[in-house]
Amino acid sequence: MSITATDTDEPVDPETEQPPPGDDHAFLGHPRGLATLSGLEVWERFSFLGMQAILVLYFADTVANGGLGMNPGTAASVSAAYGTMVYLVSVAGGWLADRILGSYRAVLCGGVLIACGHYAMAVPTAAMTWVGLGLISAGTGLLKPNVASMVGKLYRTDDQRRDAGFALYYMGINIGAFAGPLVTAWLGEHQGWHWGFSAAAVGMTAGLIQYVLGRRHLAGRKHSAEYALAPDAMRRAVWTIAGGPLAVAALATVLASLGWLTLGRLVDLLTLLSVIAPVVYFTVMFRSPRVSAEERGRLRPYVVLFLASVAFNFILFQAYSTMMLLASTNARTTILGFDFPAGWYASALGAFEVALAPVVAALWVRMGPRQPHSSNKIAIGVILGGLSFLLMVVPTSGHAGDGTYEMAAWWIVGSYLLLGLGDVLLETSGMSATTKLAPRAYASQTMALWFLSLALANGIQAQVVKIYGEVSNPVYFGVNGGIAVAAGVAVIALAPWLRRTMHPVH
């Protein structure tokens, strides 16, 4: 078994897993590799969330204006289904890193696919839109779980900088989340949607360049996978990987031409897969002989954290679907006399997370061992997410929701403030807990399992948002927000059991 940054502090040869000597405190008191991985995520989120901020608006815009002419509920559902597909592929991405590619190459290949997908979406045809979304889904599935896993490899399990490091990493993510919509939404509104998609392509290309240039500071950059398959199994897997996607694409084309595979059925199929995949995956991990009894015991509380993530991200992802639709039809796009594209609301979420992440990181460092247990951080995040939706009940009450009224911009900004703080608390603690609770034989795949919670959240969203516009806005936001708050309270109630079973994770 190779040596990683979590196994030893002794510097080793530069061609192995370890970063160069002197890296351990070179970036704001953290390993220098954190800067490289955070920089990659800046550009990946710039491209991904920049595109996501205008995707639902592009779907819902009229064909005459360059959109696809979907009704709002369908546009939100298809956008959520795309998110489902992105995170479902994370399972394959984690497996490929653990068994075939290794973390570094998995992330590199994923970034190339994402860039190609955004370039495809820059071509102003509906067909290239779907091709581009497919490439981005595959690439993000390779990149996202493995970048987060590489961050975890920079620290020992008992390193108290670990949660703070993930908070700084998440700040980098949200610099991209802030900047992306500013650029893509302005280009989409003033030059056309596909110009916005072009900006996303350029951003991902920049991310790839800085990732390659900073590779020597990374743990987990060895060419071979840590738990590589045997040669015969490796050859079979390579042939399956090469032929599988082509076979699926061919089957989908045939079914679509026969009229069976409609857009609605595809959305329903992805939702079903988002439910089945985590159930199967948890079952495999619990039964695997590679997982020790001690590791299996820590997987049980992880199921609760997984479900908490589903509850929160069901709300979070609607910042880019129903909240974008609400902003474009019923919210003012003027602040202090300045007019801005509706897509800029999405940047408010990233801005709050950029501002709050270092505050949270500093707070955890200052508190040290006195900081709240990871499960309580996650529970508070879920409650804040629910409150962000409950806040929207106030300005939408007493209105028909048909575009005949406008709410002040500060309502949505305030909702995103609550959501942003909740996201910093939940995602940083959740990713950190995942790297600590993960069985060694499933290191990258357990992070992929965390992203399956995002797939499930999107899968549920894809069904629920279909009623957006069919029920009143106060009912829609109130019920969904109330369910999230209740989920967060339930996690707090389970805190004693979680602290006991997650030991020694804090």
Side-chain angles (χ1 to χ4, degrees):
M1 184 175 64
S2 60
I3 296 174
T4 68
T6 56
D7 296 318
T8 180
D9 285 333
E10 294 298 320
V12 295
D13 188 271
E15 293 303 315
T16 64
E17 296 283 274
Q18 285 290 84
D23 268 8
D24 195 52
H25 291 81
F27 174 62
L28 301 177
H30 292 266
R32 191 187 300 272
L34 183 63
T36 299
L37 297 174
S38 297
L40 174 64
E41 280 287 19
V42 167
W43 290 109
E44 190 275 333
R45 290 292 93 177
F46 175 97
S47 64
F48 184 84
L49 293 178
M51 184 269 288
Q52 191 84 346
I54 61 175
L55 186 64
V56 71
L57 302 178
Y58 164 63
F59 285 159
D61 201 5
T62 63
V63 175
N65 287 334
L68 296 187
M70 299 179 185
N71 67 55
T74 301
S77 181
V78 173
S79 180
Y82 158 66
T84 305
M85 184 165 60
V86 165
Y87 294 112
L88 280 173
V89 180
S90 296
V91 177
W95 184 86
L96 284 168
D98 277 349
R99 302 291 188 257
I100 296 179
L101 294 174
S103 298
Y104 174 77
R105 289 195 297 180
V107 170
L108 181 62
C109 293
V112 170
L113 287 174
I114 292 169
C116 290
H118 285 300
Y119 283 116
M121 291 191 69
V123 179
T125 65
M128 291 304 290
T129 293
W130 304 120
V131 170
L133 290 176
L135 289 171
I136 296 168
S137 298
T140 305
L142 271 173
L143 185 146
K144 285 296 289 182
N146 296 309
V147 174
S149 181
M150 290 174 76
V151 172
K153 290 177 181 179
L154 296 173
Y155 301 91
R156 287 180 176 271
T157 301
D158 59 355
D159 192 332
Q160 291 188 353
R161 298 176 301 163
R162 195 182 184 92
D163 280 13
F166 270 98
L168 288 172
Y169 165 71
Y170 213 64
M171 181 180 70
I173 288 176
N174 287 295
I175 291 173
F178 165 70
L182 290 180
V183 176
T184 59
W186 190 91
L187 287 171
E189 184 170 297
H190 292 87
Q191 303 297 325
W193 301 117
H194 296 280
W195 281 95
F197 301 145
S198 298
V202 173
M204 191 63 238
T205 303
L208 282 171
I209 292 171
Q210 75 85 39
Y211 175 68
V212 172
L213 292 177
R215 66 187 180 277
R216 74 187 189 94
H217 303 294
L218 303 175
R221 70 185 184 279
K222 202 176 70 170
H223 290 301
S224 62
E226 186 171 359
Y227 296 94
L229 296 172
D232 289 344
M234 181 78 76
R235 282 191 290 271
R236 290 194 298 270
V238 169
W239 279 108
T240 301
I241 293 166
L246 293 176
V248 171
L251 177 62
T253 301
V254 171
L255 293 176
S257 64
L258 295 174
W260 187 90
L261 186 61
T262 62
L263 194 57
R265 285 178 174 169
L266 178 60
V267 169
D268 294 341
L269 177 61
L270 288 171
T271 296
L272 180 62
L273 289 175
S274 75
V275 174
I276 293 173
V279 172
V280 170
Y281 220 79
F282 270 117
T283 301
V284 169
M285 291 176 70
F286 272 112
R287 294 182 176 179
S288 172
R290 292 174 175 263
V291 177
S292 68
E294 181 182 355
E295 290 174 328
R296 196 171 292 114
R298 288 200 294 267
L299 277 176
R300 295 187 182 95
Y302 187 68
V303 174
V304 175
L305 304 188
F306 178 92
L307 295 175
S309 174
V310 172
F312 176 80
N313 283 292
F314 169 75
I315 301 292
L316 177 67
F317 290 134
Q318 292 191 64
Y320 300 96
S321 59
T322 56
M323 290 291 283
M324 280 292 96
L325 293 170
L326 182 69
S328 66
T329 56
N330 294 105
R332 295 172 191 157
T333 53
T334 301
I335 292 182
L336 301 177
F338 175 74
D339 292 325
F340 59 91
W344 278 18
Y345 276 113
S347 285
L349 180 59
F352 286 131
E353 294 183 349
V354 169
L356 292 169
V359 176
V360 171
L363 179 62
W364 299 155
V365 170
R366 185 177 182 84
M367 295 182 71
R370 296 180 291 107
Q371 62 187 278
H373 191 264
S374 296
S375 63
N376 283 334
K377 296 176 188 176
I378 290 170
I380 294 169
V382 177
I383 291 171
L384 288 170
L387 291 175
S388 75
F389 257 35
L390 290 177
L391 181 64
M392 300 311 300
V393 173
V394 179
T396 59
S397 293
H399 302 290
D402 56 2
T404 59
Y405 72 96
E406 286 188 341
M407 69 177 73
W410 304 111
W411 286 106
I412 293 182
V413 171
S415 176
Y416 281 2
L417 172 60
L418 293 171
L419 193 58
L421 179 57
D423 198 23
V424 170
L425 290 174
L426 183 136
E427 293 298 340
T428 56
S429 298
M431 287 190 294
S432 180
T434 296
T435 62
K436 289 183 280 190
L437 294 170
R440 291 184 63 83
Y442 288 86
S444 293
Q445 293 178 74
T446 307
M447 186 56 71
L449 185 57
W450 178 255
F451 288 109
L452 272 184
S453 72
L454 311 186
L456 180 54
N458 268 306
I460 296 170
Q461 182 200 166
Q463 301 303 317
V464 174
V465 296
K466 291 177 181 180
I467 65 171
Y468 179 76
E470 303 296 326
V471 299
S472 70
N473 284 337
V475 169
Y476 183 86
F477 290 108
V479 171
N480 288 324
I483 291 173
V485 169
V489 171
V491 176
I492 290 177
L494 289 170
W497 176 77
L498 290 169
R499 281 195 295 269
R500 185 173 64 255
T501 53
M502 289 174 67
H503 181 77
V505 176
H506 299 293

